[in-house]
Amino acid sequence: MPTAALLQSPDSQPLDAALADMQVLVEQHGYVVGLYPANLPVAHERRLHTVRSIMESDRIALLKLDLPPLGIAVLVRQLRQLSICDFSAGVVASAARLLSHYIYAGALLHSVTKLDRVPVSLKTHAKSWVPGSQFGVLANPTPQLIRVGHGTDQLAGPDFGTQLMLAKGQSQSAWVAETLAPSWHVQGIQECALPADSPRWWGTSKMIEFAAFLPDVSVLYQLVSSVRRETCSWCGIELIGDRCGFCSAPLAPPPANQPRADRTRAVQDGAVQDRAVQSRALQSRVAIGALPPGTSAGHGS
């Protein structure tokens, strides 16, 4: 599986060096898929778009994700797995939106007083001040918050086989491993370092972050393969879903007054015209980009 490559933050790397790094990635891999969190500092996000604009490249995809830090890390891993399969760069990029729906990302928090990523009631805020309080919070795919140890409420987990990635902050609680994991029927637990931006994202450093995900590349392959592929009417790249991962253009519906047979023929003709582009994409590896929250703006391959 390809490893990650990072582009340094604007504070630690001049623009010329950032352009050179991106040019190397494009030349080596053909395409770059850059992932970055929605809470990335404005200067970091502006740097990414500046690099792409100056290079005038249609081979760089920049995807903003509203996932917690560990959720983004898991998604980066999955796209890196898919990048060595026989998918085109456009399919790999647009698969990010599809796969994010299958990532159950959350955290065990000892306080929710500064949590602004998930709705928190005033009553829950007040309970957060009680010594020893713990809260189970799910941010994706559907926000949910429960008070651990009070009542029978449980976080809604996946109904398919997953593994659980676990990153410990300043908390010694065993709730995630001993209670949450069995209730979600996870098939294994992996531990990793806590992402640098996790305390800021969750509003506290006294926490344990977790993410349940599909680990098997064969399952990911079947999932992505089951989605109908389209051709972007704007940049001509192959995609799945309703939006292009490279130019962000929505999938254009065929004209309403166009006969069904003509619409089918138009799609087939377009596929023939784009065959050369798609062939080059299939033959090249895709550099998968990630901007680790709280570290540096970056991209990975």
Side-chain angles (χ1 to χ4, degrees):
M1 183 170 62
T3 55
L6 301 176
L7 178 64
Q8 300 300 316
S9 68
D11 293 336
S12 58
Q13 184 183 47
L15 179 59
D16 289 348
L19 286 167
D21 285 351
M22 184 66 79
Q23 185 63 44
V24 168
L25 280 178
V26 173
E27 291 178 352
Q28 289 182 343
H29 302 284
Y31 293 86
V32 173
V33 177
L35 310 182
Y36 66 96
N39 69 327
L40 189 75
V42 175
H44 289 205
E45 184 175 12
R46 186 181 300 119
R47 162 61 64 85
L48 287 175
H49 288 275
T50 298
V51 168
R52 185 173 66 176
S53 297
I54 293 177
M55 292 181 63
E56 296 184 342
S57 176
D58 59 358
R59 292 173 175 262
I60 302 173
L62 298 177
L63 308 177
K64 179 187 288 190
L65 303 169
D66 194 18
L67 283 171
L70 191 60
I72 291 180
V74 165
L75 181 58
V76 168
R77 171 178 173 168
Q78 292 176 327
L79 294 187
R80 287 163 56 199
Q81 290 175 296
L82 291 177
S83 72
I84 57 177
C85 299
D86 58 353
F87 293 124
S88 67
V91 169
V92 172
S94 50
R97 294 182 64 197
L98 169 67
L99 297 181
S100 65
H101 294 293
Y102 294 87
I103 295 175
Y104 283 68
L108 171 74
L109 307 179
H110 290 256
S111 173
V112 294
T113 56
K114 296 183 179 179
L115 178 64
D116 58 5
R117 302 288 175 178
V118 175
V120 181
S121 67
L122 291 176
K123 184 177 180 180
T124 302
H125 268 298
K127 292 180 179 178
S128 184
W129 292 99
V130 178
S133 294
Q134 295 183 11
F135 301 88
V137 185
L138 191 65
N140 190 81
T142 303
Q144 185 185 0
L145 187 151
I146 64 171
R147 191 178 179 194
V148 174
H150 293 75
T152 59
D153 290 344
Q154 295 184 352
L155 293 180
D159 56 2
F160 47 87
T162 63
Q163 288 194 9
L164 191 71
M165 188 69 73
L166 187 153
K168 294 183 178 179
Q170 297 176 10
S171 173
Q172 301 302 318
S173 175
W175 179 79
V176 176
E178 297 182 2
T179 301
L180 180 72
S183 69
W184 282 9
H185 305 289
V186 300
Q187 300 170 347
I189 299 177
Q190 305 176 33
E191 290 196 28
C192 66
L194 186 71
D197 196 46
S198 291
R200 183 165 67 94
W201 202 96
W202 293 103
T204 178
S205 59
K206 201 169 184 181
M207 57 165 293
I208 298 176
E209 190 171 11
F210 55 84
F213 64 100
L214 295 166
D216 193 334
V217 66
S218 64
V219 175
L220 296 174
Y221 185 92
Q222 292 175 8
L223 183 62
V224 175
S225 297
S226 68
V227 182
R228 178 180 175 179
R229 303 185 194 184
E230 307 281 358
T231 300
C232 178
S233 59
W234 181 258
C235 69
I237 202 165
E238 190 180 35
L239 61 92
I240 60 174
D242 59 0
R243 185 171 296 275
C244 179
F246 277 82
C247 70
S248 298
L251 182 64
N257 59 354
Q258 185 178 7
R260 183 181 182 90
D262 291 345
R263 279 185 258 172
T264 302
R265 186 159 48 258
V267 171
Q268 294 173 342
D269 292 344
V272 172
Q273 294 173 4
D274 291 323
R275 187 172 298 164
V277 175
Q278 295 175 10
S279 177
R280 288 197 301 271
L282 286 169
Q283 293 173 1
S284 64
R285 287 176 55 192
V286 182
I288 302 301
L291 305 183
T295 56
S296 57
H299 47 269
S301 64

